[in-house]
Amino acid sequence: MSGRLRDRSSSQAKRHSHHQTTTTVAAAAAMPNFLTETLPCPFGELATNLSDSALRETAYEILVGACRSTGGKPLTYISQSERNSERTATPTLTSTASLQRSLTSTAASKVKKALGLRSSGRKKVSGESDSERVKKAVTIGEMLRVQMGISEQTDSRVRRALLRVAAAQVYQLGRRIESVVLPLEMLQQLKPSDFPNQGEYEAWQRRNLKLLEAGLLLHPLLPLDKTDAAPQRLRQIIRGALEKPLETGKNNESMQALRSIVLSLACRTFDGSASETIHWADGFPLNLRIYQMLLEACFDVNDETSVIEEVDEVLELIKKTWVVLGMNQMLHNLCFLWILFNRYVATGEVEGDLLFAANNLLMEVEKDSKSMKDPNYSKILSSTLSAILGWAEKRLLAYHNYFHSDNTELLECVVSVGVLSAKIMVEDISHEYRKKRKEFDVAHERVDTYIRSSLRTAFFQIMEKVKSSKRSSNKNQQNQLPFLSILAQDVSTLAFSEKAIFSPILKRWHPLSAGVAVATLHSCYGNELKQFVFSIGELTPDILQVLRAAEKLEKDLVQIAVENSVDSEDGGKSIIREMPPYEAESVVSNLVKSWIKTRLDRLKEWVDRNLQQEVWDPRANKERFAPSSVEVLRIVDEALEAFFLLPISIHAALLPDLTNGIDRCLQHYISKAKSGCGTRSTFVPSMPALTRCSSRSKVSGVFKKKEKFQKAQSRKSQVGTTNGNGSFGIPQLYCRINTLQHIRTELDVLAKRTIVHLRSSESHNNNIANGTGKAFELSAAACLEGIQQLCEATAYKVIFQDLSHVLWDGLYVGEVSSSRIEPFLKELEHYLEVLSLTVHDRVRTRVITEVMKASFDGFLLVLLAGGPARAFSLQDYETIAEDFKFLTDLFWSNGDGLPADLIQKFSTTVKAILPLFHTETDSLIEQFKYMTAESYGSSAKSKLPLPPTSGQWSPTEPNTLLRVLCYRSDETAAKFLKKTYNLPKKL
């Protein structure tokens, strides 16, 4: 911030490059110029009635004396006539080089650049020629005299007195000014003859006596000792001299007494030690008031708002007075700050450069305050900053009355001045702000207060304006907007204006400035709205109009708050918490919610009634889905249509109530549609206990196979019929799948239709995604889950229940070569044909894929858990592999079936396990031992544990290898299983 304001100097030079008249007019428009304000001086009032002119003349005397005491040439006096003649010739040095430096040697001001003040050529006084201007002021000393309003006669008298002091060997070259009580020496060296008349001399003498009184008695640097009689004697002398002029001759008794007392008081020190520095003008606030007179010489006498170009040289000279006035750089900064600031205020606040300069200097004061702990400094700092802060806060607490889009740069500076002042006061001295808060907290707190105060003021001004306008308008005017509707529009305009004009400036101190502003407006309007809502008896067009206006206003305000809070730590939660939603629409909302509840209760009744009557017959309509779903979706659509016909403006706010209720009803329907249909585990048969084969296994298996095959021939597939399995047959399952797919598709249609309704309704500017994006999400997810469950249940029901007679009860029972897969494939193909004709095309592939997965699982189950009726030799491998290829070919169907990569994906496990049936028994046993040892570690060395059935078949999984051995028609395998696990030959 400091850098930003300091760097204004370059831009200021451009901005003020026009003629001064243009600049002044533009600057005058910067801030409303009400009555010129006069601020009390923060340095304090003097206890004696010394006028500004008296202080200014004293300041000039000290300045000239200080410059002469540090010069390098002896003092000489030039008479007035000689001085006038010198002005027509080449100027000569008569005293110090600093006072007599030519004005033409002045370079660009470093002080101005540091403070951000513009540099420009010296302005010519109207009617003044160049030669006259040069004659008037050809040196810095002459210019200072003119700037301070000191006459040539007074200047000559001062210089003459100083020469006399030197001649009297009291004030010699090389003797410092801080060792002289200047008013005392002046009293002794100047006589009535040095003045135009006796009255002027007596006034001059009274001024010097009052200075001695102020510096030594009323405002001394060191407190007076109550036991010391010198102060009382000095008071008596001064009181007498004020009544009767004092004789000031060198040998005069009164003058000698005065000198003795003055020096005894001026030479005091804190520790009682001897010091060459005497104290007569360095007590507070006398020193500051005198220094104030010197600093005011930095302003051009011809333009009270302009700092002179020679300010660097002037300040260099002024600083020579520090030893007399007890000043230092920190006190100088504080005084100069006040001078710049006060000049800006006193001149009608037309020259913004002065305020910017004061702000830049205030940053230096902030640094000073951290290291300067002197009580006098702290007291002056406190009073100065209090005055500045009071002025700034008067404007900032109602900144809408003082600032606008054309002077935001000035607002930034005023805020900086106020915030910096408050910060310094918190850190050091202020009782009002002493709360030990962080720097940023101070700025944040003050700007927060400014925003809230100014917005409240602006709101009530707008409200009074609207009320006045309503009263003055024609009462018979038709279609007149309600008061709160107009107020809402005006408040919205104010909020967006605040966001565009002021918030970008205030955000530097308060990241959520726009949010605080709209929260304040939200609160102000909300208070008015609560009173209005309390008086509502019934819903009327005017009420709806007010509620719509309030709703729109709130959305505007919240939008601004949210946008302003994007980068905040809490995401704007603190601001949003300050903006509780308006309760104005609660009456309308409750009525609509009651209407929604009635509709949802009716929908729930219709769902239950239709489900009770539903038989899930795919032949009920050509689309092959349940008629109940059509009826339920029709009622849902009617409810949505009726909702958007309601004459309200809060459709988007209440829509979730309706859609969530619909969602629950549809979930209930979906749940009933899939309930009772079973899952994979419902149809997969349990695995028989492990046994071992013998050489006679196949012989006995032949008879079992023939017996079971005969039983299988008596079974007929029920595919294509609607009876025999009630509402859970395969055709009914197809109908349920189609129904859920239909509901899923219609949910998308309903969502899109709802979006169209929202866009065409009065609440179209709501976030539509919030209204419908999640409306039927649960139902849609339930549809997907239900379809998946039904597809899997259908597939495993077909394979393990409807076709179990040709798979589980027939495949490879007895001799492999005589019980191959053709019967199973024939009946499965018939099922797939019916499936393709019945199931919706969008889920057909999914159902067929599940059937394929179930058939692959069944094939593996026959090979690995088919019971003692099955046994496989090494020679059976080719037959088994060929059968599995026939099975995969059925689903590929020469390219018209499932994609090859999908078949490949789900056949990987079977293809990995089939080679085990072609592996030598000894090799299988070794693999089994190795994999078991790998799985069980050292515990498998003494005795091989029996690996549990995981159901996850794999050629490297011990249980899978064990099962291949169990069904291996081989004596070696049988002996190994007998010896290792003592497995039986039959169940």
Side-chain angles (χ1 to χ4, degrees):
M1 181 63 205
S2 61
R4 188 176 187 278
L5 289 173
R6 290 178 191 277
D7 293 342
R8 290 182 68 259
S9 55
S10 59
S11 61
Q12 287 295 309
K14 296 178 182 178
R15 186 165 65 88
H16 293 284
S17 60
H18 300 292
H19 191 272
Q20 178 62 24
T21 303
T22 305
T23 304
T24 304
V25 172
M31 182 181 284
N33 186 9
F34 304 109
L35 294 176
T36 301
E37 192 170 352
T38 301
L39 299 177
C41 180
F43 303 151
E45 296 296 328
L46 297 179
T48 185
N49 57 343
L50 280 169
S51 64
D52 285 352
S53 61
L55 291 172
R56 191 175 297 110
E57 190 170 337
T58 300
Y60 186 73
E61 292 170 354
I62 296 173
L63 176 65
V64 175
C67 291
R68 287 180 176 275
S69 72
T70 57
K73 292 181 178 293
L75 295 170
T76 57
Y77 168 69
I78 303 176
S79 67
Q80 188 65 42
S81 60
E82 290 174 338
R83 183 180 302 183
N84 290 337
S85 65
E86 282 182 359
R87 284 181 179 163
T88 62
T90 303
T92 58
L93 294 175
T94 60
S95 60
T96 63
S98 57
L99 272 174
Q100 299 300 322
R101 185 179 302 154
S102 171
L103 289 178
T104 58
S105 66
T106 302
S109 171
K110 294 181 181 179
V111 172
K112 280 194 167 188
K113 184 177 181 181
L115 294 178
L117 293 166
R118 70 184 185 277
S119 294
S120 59
R122 179 182 293 277
K123 290 172 287 185
K124 186 189 298 184
V125 180
S126 178
E128 179 185 55
S129 67
D130 290 341
S131 60
E132 288 174 333
R133 182 171 60 82
V134 172
K135 286 180 181 180
K136 283 187 176 181
V138 293
T139 66
I140 295 295
E142 279 290 280
M143 185 198 68
L144 262 175
R145 180 189 64 77
V146 175
Q147 287 289 112
M148 295 185 69
I150 304 299
S151 67
E152 292 185 353
Q153 291 82 2
T154 301
D155 177 61
S156 297
R157 185 166 57 243
V158 170
R159 295 174 187 275
R160 189 185 313 131
L162 292 174
L163 286 172
R164 290 174 182 173
V165 171
Q169 295 185 355
V170 175
Y171 179 41
Q172 301 175 15
L173 181 65
R175 189 173 184 186
R176 297 195 302 268
I177 185 66
E178 64 266 28
S179 63
V180 175
V181 181
L182 196 56
L184 178 67
E185 304 302 334
M186 299 292 279
L187 282 171
Q188 186 159 5
Q189 299 304 327
L190 291 181
K191 307 302 178 186
S193 59
D194 293 310
F195 294 85
N197 54 64
Q198 182 65 25
E200 189 172 332
Y201 169 73
E202 292 178 1
W204 172 85
Q205 188 182 86
R206 284 193 297 273
R207 171 176 69 83
N208 281 281
L209 290 170
K210 288 181 180 180
L211 272 175
L212 292 174
E213 179 185 29
L216 298 175
L217 299 178
L218 302 177
H219 307 289
L221 178 65
L222 280 71
L224 295 174
D225 186 354
K226 294 182 179 180
T227 61
D228 190 358
Q232 186 60 32
R233 284 160 47 204
L234 180 58
R235 288 190 187 94
Q236 293 173 356
I237 293 174
I238 292 174
R239 190 180 301 115
L242 291 176
E243 295 175 358
K244 180 182 179 182
L246 181 70
E247 293 292 334
T248 59
K250 180 178 180 181
N251 298 321
N252 184 273
E253 183 179 347
S254 299
M255 190 62 202
Q256 290 179 352
L258 177 63
R259 174 178 292 278
S260 174
I261 296 171
V262 166
L263 291 178
S264 68
L265 291 173
C267 292
R268 292 177 304 133
T269 60
F270 284 102
D271 56 4
S273 61
S275 173
E276 293 185 4
T277 301
I278 60 177
H279 309 282
W280 69 273
D282 49 359
F284 293 89
L286 176 63
N287 58 344
L288 299 182
R289 294 300 304 276
I290 294 174
Y291 198 66
Q292 180 181 358
M293 299 299 122
L294 291 170
L295 290 178
E296 286 180 349
C298 296
F299 292 97
D300 197 323
V301 291
N302 296 316
D303 180 5
E304 58 184 357
T305 66
S306 176
V307 175
I308 58 176
E309 289 301 309
E310 298 81 9
V311 63
D312 295 47
E313 288 83 352
V314 169
L315 289 177
E316 181 184 343
L317 295 182
I318 289 175
K319 288 181 179 181
K320 296 179 184 298
T321 66
W322 287 6
V323 292
V324 177
L325 299 176
M327 300 294 291
N328 54 39
Q329 186 64 49
M330 296 179 182
L331 284 170
H332 164 80
N333 289 342
L334 187 56
C335 289
F336 201 20
L337 162 65
W338 173 253
I339 296 302
L340 291 168
F341 174 78
N342 187 54
R343 180 58 63 100
Y344 169 72
V345 175
T347 54
E349 304 173 11
V350 297
E351 183 50 74
D353 270 6
L354 294 176
L355 186 62
F356 281 99
N359 181 72
N360 285 330
L361 196 51
L362 184 58
M363 296 175 194
E364 296 301 320
V365 171
E366 182 186 21
K367 297 176 186 177
D368 296 342
S369 66
K370 294 177 180 178
S371 57
M372 184 68 164
K373 302 303 178 184
D374 178 70
N376 286 320
Y377 176 83
S378 296
K379 181 179 179 181
I380 300 302
L381 179 66
S382 176
S383 59
T384 303
L385 295 183
S386 294
I388 294 174
L389 182 59
W391 174 90
E393 292 199 333
K394 178 181 178 181
R395 284 141 185 81
L396 295 175
L397 291 171
Y399 59 78
H400 290 85
N401 294 338
Y402 293 88
F403 304 97
H404 44 78
S405 59
D406 294 334
N407 67 348
T408 54
E409 190 179 33
L410 187 60
L411 168 65
E412 182 178 13
C413 187
V414 175
V415 175
S416 179
V417 166
V419 167
L420 277 174
S421 299
K423 279 184 182 180
I424 300 170
M425 295 174 74
V426 168
E427 292 168 356
D428 291 281
I429 47 181
S430 172
H431 296 292
E432 180 183 356
Y433 300 104
R434 194 187 298 272
K435 297 178 181 178
K436 294 184 179 179
R437 298 184 181 178
K438 296 180 181 179
E439 275 191 26
F440 183 77
D441 288 340
V442 176
H444 187 278
E445 177 190 9
R446 299 316 304 158
V447 174
D448 188 275
T449 301
Y450 302 152
I451 295 171
R452 296 181 189 277
S453 172
S454 189
L455 265 298
R456 279 193 292 267
T457 301
F459 174 83
F460 288 113
Q461 289 174 348
I462 290 175
M463 190 168 70
E464 288 303 317
K465 183 179 178 181
V466 174
K467 286 181 179 179
S468 176
S469 176
K470 290 282 290 182
R471 285 193 296 266
S472 61
S473 63
N474 187 358
K475 294 182 179 180
N476 297 324
Q477 184 178 348
Q478 297 297 319
N479 300 322
Q480 193 174 16
L481 286 174
F483 161 70
L484 285 180
S485 296
I486 301 173
L487 181 61
Q489 294 173 2
D490 291 351
V491 170
S492 180
T493 301
L494 174 61
F496 282 108
S497 173
E498 177 77 15
K499 174 189 173 186
I501 298 174
F502 300 119
S503 295
I505 301 298
L506 300 175
K507 190 174 183 179
R508 296 190 180 97
W509 295 274
H510 197 311
L512 300 179
S513 55
V516 170
V518 295
T520 303
L521 292 176
H522 186 277
S523 175
C524 291
Y525 186 85
N527 292 333
E528 300 300 318
L529 191 62
K530 284 180 183 177
Q531 299 178 31
F532 172 78
V533 170
F534 185 75
S535 65
I536 291 178
E538 60 180 3
L539 204 59
T540 65
D542 276 0
I543 290 174
L544 286 175
Q545 205 166 25
V546 170
L547 296 180
R548 290 190 193 103
E551 181 185 21
K552 182 181 183 305
L553 171 63
E554 186 168 46
K555 289 173 184 174
D556 290 343
L557 298 180
V558 170
Q559 179 185 354
I560 294 173
V562 171
E563 291 174 355
N564 181 236
S565 307
V566 171
D567 299 325
S568 65
E569 293 181 0
D570 66 349
K573 292 180 181 178
S574 59
I575 293 297
I576 298 301
R577 280 196 294 268
E578 290 189 44
M579 303 171 68
Y582 290 152
E583 299 297 332
E585 72 272 12
S586 60
V587 175
V588 177
S589 176
N590 290 335
L591 290 174
V592 177
K593 286 181 179 180
S594 177
W595 178 92
I596 290 174
K597 184 178 182 302
T598 302
R599 286 279 178 161
L600 292 176
D601 289 344
R602 188 184 307 169
L603 176 60
K604 178 68 166 52
E605 292 175 5
W606 273 93
V607 168
D608 289 334
R609 185 183 308 169
N610 279 273
L611 282 170
Q612 290 174 2
Q613 300 172 357
E614 186 58 67
V615 295
W616 307 103
D617 185 358
R619 298 173 297 179
N621 51 54
K622 63 179 182 179
E623 291 86 2
R624 301 183 184 276
F625 49 71
S628 59
S629 65
V630 178
E631 188 66 17
V632 169
L633 290 171
R634 181 186 63 79
I635 299 171
V636 169
D637 188 55
E638 287 180 356
L640 286 169
E641 288 280 354
F643 172 75
F644 283 105
L645 289 175
L646 295 175
I648 59 173
S649 61
I650 51 175
H651 289 109
L654 293 177
L655 179 60
D657 289 3
L658 178 60
T659 54
N660 290 342
I662 292 173
D663 210 16
R664 288 190 296 271
C665 290
L666 291 176
Q667 286 180 74
H668 175 65
Y669 181 93
I670 295 165
S671 175
K672 291 294 184 181
K674 69 179 182 178
S675 65
C677 296
T679 62
R680 177 184 184 277
S681 60
T682 305
F683 304 104
V684 175
S686 59
M687 296 183 189
L690 293 174
T691 59
R692 57 190 171 89
C693 291
S694 67
S695 59
R696 293 173 295 175
S697 294
K698 286 200 171 186
V699 177
S700 61
V702 171
F703 296 104
K704 293 182 179 179
K705 183 258 179 184
K706 288 182 178 180
E707 181 184 349
K708 291 189 175 183
F709 183 73
Q710 289 172 356
K711 291 180 179 179
Q713 294 301 311
S714 65
R715 299 188 198 173
K716 299 296 180 182
S717 172
Q718 298 297 322
V719 66
T721 66
T722 60
N723 52 13
N725 286 310
S727 61
F728 298 106
I730 295 300
Q732 287 72 33
L733 292 178
Y734 291 162
C735 180
R736 292 171 188 265
I737 292 172
N738 289 342
T739 300
L740 295 190
Q741 177 60 31
H742 173 64
I743 292 175
R744 183 186 172 202
T745 303
E746 287 301 308
L747 286 178
D748 290 338
V749 175
L750 284 174
K752 292 176 181 178
R753 192 176 300 157
T754 304
I755 290 175
V756 173
H757 281 306
L758 270 179
R759 286 174 176 167
S760 61
S761 70
E762 296 182 12
S763 54
H764 64 275
N765 58 349
N766 284 275
N767 187 338
I768 293 173
N770 287 341
T772 64
K774 299 180 180 179
F776 308 113
E777 192 176 51
L778 296 178
S779 295
C783 281
L784 280 174
E785 181 184 348
I787 290 171
Q788 180 61 35
Q789 179 182 331
L790 289 172
C791 287
E792 186 179 81
T794 300
Y796 281 86
K797 180 177 173 61
V798 168
I799 300 300
F800 289 99
Q801 182 171 301
D802 290 22
L803 298 182
S804 64
H805 60 286
V806 287
L807 178 68
W808 188 246
D809 296 337
L811 183 62
Y812 302 145
V813 172
E815 290 291 338
V816 171
S817 59
S818 60
S819 56
R820 295 185 64 177
I821 202 168
E822 285 87 350
F824 172 72
L825 295 180
K826 183 178 179 180
E827 295 202 28
L828 177 59
E829 183 177 15
H830 179 59
Y831 269 86
L832 293 176
E833 289 174 355
V834 176
L835 186 156
S836 298
L837 294 172
T838 307
V839 177
H840 193 285
D841 56 358
R842 289 196 177 183
V843 289
R844 187 179 301 144
T845 299
R846 179 177 295 184
V847 180
I848 295 174
T849 301
E850 291 298 327
V851 172
M852 179 182 69
K853 289 166 60 179
S855 67
F856 290 172
D857 284 353
F859 189 79
L860 272 181
L861 204 61
V862 166
L863 296 178
L864 299 175
R870 292 176 172 89
F872 305 103
S873 65
L874 290 174
Q875 292 75 21
D876 293 331
Y877 168 75
E878 297 294 338
T879 302
I880 295 171
E882 185 179 39
D883 281 354
F884 184 70
K885 184 178 185 305
F886 291 154
L887 179 59
T888 57
D889 287 346
L890 173 64
F891 290 102
W892 185 60
S893 188
N894 294 321
D896 294 332
L898 295 177
D901 58 343
L902 191 64
I903 297 173
Q904 176 65 27
K905 174 183 176 182
F906 292 109
S907 65
T908 302
T909 302
V910 180
K911 289 180 178 180
I913 291 174
L914 285 182
L916 296 177
F917 290 84
H918 188 53
T919 304
E920 293 292 338
T921 303
D922 291 338
S923 177
L924 272 178
I925 293 173
E926 291 304 317
Q927 288 184 45
F928 172 72
K929 289 180 177 179
Y930 175 77
M931 297 309 302
T932 304
E934 284 291 313
S935 300
Y936 291 93
S938 59
S939 63
K941 290 182 179 179
S942 58
K943 181 180 180 181
L944 288 175
L946 182 67
T949 301
S950 66
Q952 303 296 321
W953 310 125
S954 168
T956 58
E957 195 255 338
N959 186 262
T960 303
L961 293 168
L962 177 63
R963 287 180 176 275
V964 175
L965 288 170
C966 286
Y967 291 99
R968 174 61 58 88
S969 179
D970 182 271
E971 192 66 28
T972 303
K975 289 181 178 180
F976 171 75
L977 295 173
K978 170 68 175 175
K979 179 181 179 182
T980 307
Y981 299 115
N982 195 28
L983 294 181
K985 292 183 180 180
K986 59 183 178 179
L987 297 177

